[in-house]
Amino acid sequence: ISNIYSNIWYIPLVIQNVFAALGVDHPDCPETANFVRGWNHPCGMFCYPIDNGQRTKAIYTLHTELRGFLPVALVESQMASMLIETFTNLQAAIDAKLHIAS
């Protein structure tokens, strides 16, 4: 894994935006017995312009640890659909923003 991350940092490009996240524990949101609580290790998205600023390339890193006794197949299928939903929603938000600006 460290090899994957070290390669990202040496890509020679100008990053325009970085969106980062990290799981935290907070006393106002204690664990509940009826729910499985996952953990996000450091993750985020790096965005930079391509095609003379006409498009944006996004590099998304995610390291989520779903705790509990969940079947691996269930976790993997849900993670894949969550990623698709995330980028579908991101595209819709960008399209809406562009529509408002034009």
Side-chain angles (χ1 to χ4, degrees):
I1 293 176
S2 63
N3 205 10
I4 293 171
Y5 289 113
S6 64
N7 289 337
I8 291 173
W9 297 110
Y10 293 109
I11 296 174
L13 45 90
V14 176
I15 295 178
Q16 295 283 321
N17 295 293
V18 176
F19 306 94
L22 174 65
V24 296
D25 289 320
H26 194 278
D28 288 345
C29 299
E31 290 189 25
T32 306
N34 296 334
F35 297 94
V36 174
R37 179 170 294 199
W39 180 260
N40 278 342
H41 294 272
C43 56
M45 186 182 309
F46 305 92
C47 300
Y48 60 95
I50 58 174
D51 296 337
N52 294 321
Q54 297 301 308
R55 297 188 309 149
T56 299
K57 182 166 187 170
I59 298 173
Y60 188 64
T61 62
L62 177 65
H63 182 180
T64 298
E65 185 179 333
L66 293 179
R67 298 173 177 160
F69 297 105
L70 299 171
V72 173
L74 175 65
V75 171
E76 289 177 354
S77 68
Q78 291 305 304
M79 291 301 290
S81 64
M82 184 275 309
L83 287 171
I84 292 169
E85 183 179 352
T86 297
F87 282 98
T88 300
N89 290 340
L90 178 60
Q91 183 66 56
I94 291 169
D95 291 345
K97 178 94 172 165
L98 291 175
H99 179 71
I100 292 171
S102 61

